[in-house]
Amino acid sequence: MAIREGTATADIFIKRYERSGDFGKLALWHEVAAECLARISVPMNEIAHDYYRRRGYKQWVTRSEKEAREIQEYYGYHRKRAKIAWQKSETPESVLDAERENIEKFIATWLPRYPDRFYEFGIYPTFFRKQREIAEQKGDYVKALLLEADAAEMCATQYEKIPIAYGLKGYQKHRDAYRQHASLLQNLAQQHLKTLPPEIDKGKQIPNALETCVSPSRRKADTVLHIAKSDTRVKTALGTQRGVHAYPLFQGFVWIVTFFSHSRGNIAVAIIDEKTMKVLDVF
């Protein structure tokens, strides 16, 4: 699911414009959903599939092939819905141009999000970390090092095939840092060490040293969260719910605050304008 999260976030805007009946913006966001699949999900899936195939993980090859088919199905769905929405659109071109500017910021925010969080979710925790744990339990420190080297190389490839391929600037140093880390681990593996060296986990520290832009501050996120919680529509949706968690996330031009609980799942979603800090919509 992680490889389709950009498309899932675009679905929030799709729902917004379905409800308002703005078919021009609806068409644009269906196209965005498809573009996220094409520019993010497809290369991520191909990178993983190629790795599984080369390393002989047949079960995971089958899994990635199933995911590839699902990605194409979602892509076709969004392209079809965009075409239908364009046929109904009466949205002025000036309004569409302004939305396209927002979309450009949205895409630029999402493209590096996956490699930036490589060690937090997706293939690293679901595959590499588990395989490393098995290797360590067997005392196979060479394999553990090589798995971490493979992970670092895959992260570098994600930067190469996603933000760099799109034309985003500043990510070449990320790619190079992970490749250098992979090379270091490969060299250490040749020494047949009896214990795992501390360098094995330094790949997780690379993102903190290589920020390409200033992320929104924690204070800003807290302000956004307060604004969302103060909205009457959010208060009504939450009602007397207990154990509600809130997750604010910047989307390049707006903030999306998701309210959820483990028992009910998503309860409410608020969209807040980055410039005016006003709540634009609540679902």
Side-chain angles (χ1 to χ4, degrees):
M1 184 58 202
I3 63 173
R4 295 195 290 273
E5 192 60 34
T7 295
T9 304
D11 279 340
I12 292 174
F13 298 97
I14 289 171
K15 291 176 182 177
R16 182 186 184 198
Y17 295 123
E18 279 180 336
R19 189 165 66 174
S20 68
D22 190 329
F23 292 104
K25 289 184 179 180
L26 175 61
L28 287 178
W29 281 98
H30 271 298
E31 290 180 347
V32 172
E35 185 170 5
C36 284
L37 291 166
R39 293 190 177 275
I40 302 173
S41 303
V42 169
M44 284 184 64
N45 177 268
E46 290 177 345
I47 291 166
H49 179 270
D50 180 63
Y51 176 79
Y52 298 142
R53 182 183 54 78
R54 286 187 289 107
R55 293 291 189 265
Y57 292 101
K58 294 181 180 180
Q59 179 181 350
W60 290 83
V61 168
T62 300
R63 174 176 171 172
S64 63
E65 289 173 349
K66 178 177 180 292
E67 289 176 348
R69 291 191 295 271
E70 292 173 351
I71 290 168
Q72 290 304 316
E73 288 174 4
Y74 278 108
Y75 179 84
Y77 166 80
H78 284 294
R79 294 299 303 177
K80 181 179 178 180
R81 299 305 300 178
K83 184 177 181 180
I84 293 171
W86 279 126
Q87 293 171 349
K88 299 179 181 179
S89 175
E90 296 179 355
T91 310
E93 195 62 30
S94 59
V95 174
L96 293 176
D97 285 341
E99 194 68 9
R100 289 186 180 103
E101 292 182 9
N102 292 334
I103 286 169
E104 186 174 343
K105 296 174 183 176
F106 175 86
I107 293 289
T109 300
W110 271 98
L111 287 172
R113 183 163 286 169
Y114 297 91
D116 279 352
R117 291 157 180 78
F118 179 84
Y119 290 94
E120 297 175 27
F121 62 85
I123 192 171
Y124 183 82
T126 60
F127 177 81
F128 284 109
R129 188 164 63 201
K130 291 182 179 180
Q131 295 297 322
R132 173 181 160 181
E133 289 172 356
I134 294 171
E136 287 188 49
Q137 289 170 3
K138 295 179 178 178
D140 192 344
Y141 301 127
V142 170
K143 185 173 182 179
L145 283 164
L146 292 177
L147 281 164
E148 286 293 337
D150 288 347
E153 185 63 41
M154 184 177 290
C155 186
T157 304
Q158 285 188 4
Y159 278 111
E160 179 70 35
K161 296 292 182 70
I162 303 175
I164 295 174
Y166 186 77
L168 295 187
K169 305 299 182 182
Y171 289 97
Q172 286 84 356
K173 61 183 180 181
H174 290 63
R175 175 200 61 197
D176 295 344
Y178 282 104
R179 284 180 175 169
Q180 290 170 9
H181 180 60
S183 179
L184 170 64
L185 295 180
Q186 289 164 355
N187 289 334
L188 287 172
Q190 294 177 7
Q191 299 177 21
H192 299 284
L193 303 174
K194 300 300 182 181
T195 59
L196 288 177
E199 290 87 349
I200 193 170
D201 289 317
K202 288 189 175 180
K204 302 178 182 67
Q205 302 170 13
I206 292 175
N208 295 329
L210 290 173
E211 288 291 341
T212 54
C213 60
V214 179
S215 301
S217 67
R218 180 69 254 176
R219 181 179 298 179
K220 185 66 171 288
D222 290 341
T223 300
V224 167
L225 187 55
H226 175 73
I227 291 171
K229 287 182 176 179
S230 300
D231 188 271
T232 303
R233 293 165 292 181
V234 171
K235 290 181 178 180
T236 300
L238 299 183
T240 58
Q241 292 288 324
R242 294 187 177 183
V244 176
H245 303 275
Y247 184 53
L249 189 61
F250 185 56
Q251 304 294 335
F253 70 103
V254 295
W255 288 78
I256 290 180
V257 183
T258 304
F259 295 89
F260 63 96
S261 70
H262 294 299
S263 59
R264 288 191 54 191
N266 285 355
I267 301 171
V269 175
I271 302 175
I272 300 175
D273 186 83
E274 163 68 5
K275 294 180 180 179
T276 65
M277 298 301 285
K278 293 183 179 179
V279 180
L280 300 176
D281 212 339
V282 175
F283 298 92

